[in-house]
Amino acid sequence: MDKNIKIWGVRSHLAGDLVFALPVLNYLELKYPGSYKYWTIAKKCAGFAPIFFNHPLINCIRIVDEKQENFNQKDVEIVKSCDLVINITPQHKFGMPATTPESCWWNYKDVYQETFEMSGFNISEYNNMPKDLQIPRLERWFDVNTNNFGYYGYKFIGIWPFSSYGKDSKRSPSIEWWSKTIELLNKEGYSIFHFGGEKESTFYHVNGPNTNKYFCWTHLPIFEQIKMSLACETCINTNSGSGAILAAYGAKQITLLTDDAPRHFQNFLAFAPKNCYDRNINVFEKGGCNQVKTEQVLEVIKQLK
């Protein structure tokens, strides 16, 4: 047993990266059984901290400054005391932006493999782990269902419509696409829970005064949104951190994907979330998520029932 070994890491700056890094914990436990692991989360991502509560391999969560030179004295002392310190703000091996075939890692690896390698370990170690340890898993330590929010008898579909809270249009369908999809889902008897960033576009215009068909919850704290997502019948997400989180909880989800990365010519599911209960269905179309037919989304929802 390696009870006395202390480890600092693994990522900190983005919610998705934190989830992608969870398999690193599994690897560290295999290599250093019983080690004490500090899990770092940047201050800007502190709202996501509760999703890591009760994780069996996280001994202590540290909310840290984005730059190591600005760490408080306590964190500096902890880092010095650790036997293994993983760079929590690593760079891609071949640099960014992607200007060479080698730097376009998404053509050859998935985002979980890339995150593992960026943590300083050989990708072969990831590939040699049991398959279930290659997939992130979060503990659902909380109870939640739609009745908690005062809605009875509704069929809810959760949507996280825009990647990076609306800042990355390449990875997301347009407002027009979502409006059409929401209208179709409403006709099929579904009500929509909209999650994401507070400044995102809303879709109240689809139904006008009929508020029973569309509810926007982007004003809520992110953890509350995640809990409500897990109460939905199915969630629709893009290539985003929210999709990775839902997958780590094993939620039923549909992930909209496209070839948005530079020079992306193969391995088109590189950014697809790995769902721990195998409840995700990827819908990929070249040329943008707008190329996905709204009718196709409805058919996939039926498959997930």
Side-chain angles (χ1 to χ4, degrees):
M1 301 292 285
D2 292 300
K3 289 286 187 183
N4 295 323
I5 287 183
K6 292 194 287 186
I7 301 172
W8 174 271
V10 175
R11 293 295 285 274
S12 65
H13 278 46
L14 295 171
D17 287 353
L18 286 162
V19 176
F20 299 145
L22 286 173
V24 177
L25 289 178
N26 295 331
Y27 171 73
L28 292 171
E29 184 63 18
L30 290 174
K31 192 170 184 178
Y32 307 106
S35 54
Y36 191 95
K37 305 172 190 68
Y38 291 98
W39 184 253
T40 56
I41 301 176
K43 290 178 181 178
K44 68 176 183 178
C45 293
F48 291 96
I51 73 174
F52 299 103
F53 291 176
N54 284 16
H55 191 287
L57 299 182
I58 294 176
N59 299 99
C60 179
I61 293 174
R62 298 296 299 179
I63 308 299
V64 299
D65 196 275
E66 292 184 38
K67 295 182 179 180
Q68 187 165 337
E69 57 264 32
N70 295 331
F71 279 7
N72 62 41
Q73 188 58 38
K74 178 64 175 178
D75 288 323
V76 170
E77 293 173 359
I78 291 174
V79 172
K80 288 181 179 179
S81 73
C82 286
D83 303 280
L84 175 60
V85 177
I86 296 172
N87 182 3
I88 62 175
T89 56
Q91 301 299 310
H92 291 279
K93 183 177 180 181
F94 294 101
M96 293 296 282
T99 56
T100 65
E102 292 83 6
S103 62
C104 300
W105 57 264
W106 41 82
N107 287 316
Y108 311 101
K109 296 177 284 186
D110 65 41
V111 67
Y112 298 90
Q113 293 170 318
E114 174 70 0
T115 301
F116 188 90
E117 198 166 42
M118 290 174 71
S119 299
F121 305 109
N122 193 298
I123 195 171
S124 64
E125 298 295 330
Y126 174 89
N127 295 334
N128 290 333
M129 285 198 301
K131 291 297 183 183
D132 63 315
L133 298 184
Q134 296 178 18
I135 301 174
R137 187 182 296 269
L138 292 168
E139 297 292 314
R140 194 184 296 200
W141 52 267
F142 45 85
D143 296 320
V144 63
N145 58 66
T146 52
N147 291 344
N148 293 134
F149 312 111
Y151 302 106
Y152 302 88
Y154 290 88
K155 296 191 299 181
F156 288 108
I157 298 292
I159 62 170
W160 293 80
F162 304 113
S163 293
S164 301
Y165 307 112
K167 299 175 185 177
D168 190 343
S169 59
K170 293 180 181 179
R171 290 187 280 164
S172 310
S174 64
I175 293 174
E176 292 73 21
W177 186 94
W178 278 112
S179 298
K180 183 179 178 181
T181 301
I182 290 170
E183 184 177 13
L184 176 63
L185 293 175
N186 287 160
K187 288 179 179 178
E188 292 292 324
Y190 293 104
S191 293
I192 305 300
F193 270 12
H194 177 178
F195 305 107
E198 191 167 4
K199 295 182 180 180
E200 289 183 5
S201 298
T202 62
F203 300 96
Y204 288 109
H205 61 274
V206 176
N207 290 294
N210 190 345
T211 57
N212 289 333
K213 292 189 175 182
Y214 171 80
F215 303 82
C216 185
W217 300 108
T218 58
H219 60 286
L220 293 178
I222 193 66
F223 181 53
E224 294 304 314
Q225 294 189 52
I226 291 168
K227 289 196 295 183
M228 294 178 75
S229 294
L230 297 174
C232 292
E233 183 173 311
T234 303
C235 283
I236 307 172
N237 55 266
T238 58
N239 166 16
S240 63
S242 56
I245 292 169
L246 294 175
Y249 279 118
K252 291 182 180 180
Q253 63 184 142
I254 299 167
T255 301
L256 306 175
L257 297 168
T258 189
D259 52 344
D260 59 279
R263 304 182 183 186
H264 200 173
F265 60 85
Q266 64 180 17
N267 193 35
F268 292 120
L269 298 184
F271 298 99
K274 293 186 177 181
N275 190 292
C276 65
Y277 293 148
D278 197 24
R279 289 175 171 173
N280 173 58
I281 295 180
N282 299 305
V283 180
F284 173 87
E285 290 292 344
K286 288 185 177 182
C289 290
N290 279 356
Q291 303 304 314
V292 175
K293 292 180 172 57
T294 55
E295 293 79 11
Q296 185 179 359
V297 173
L298 181 59
E299 289 304 312
V300 175
I301 290 174
K302 294 176 180 178
Q303 290 179 40
L304 283 168
K305 280 190 174 182

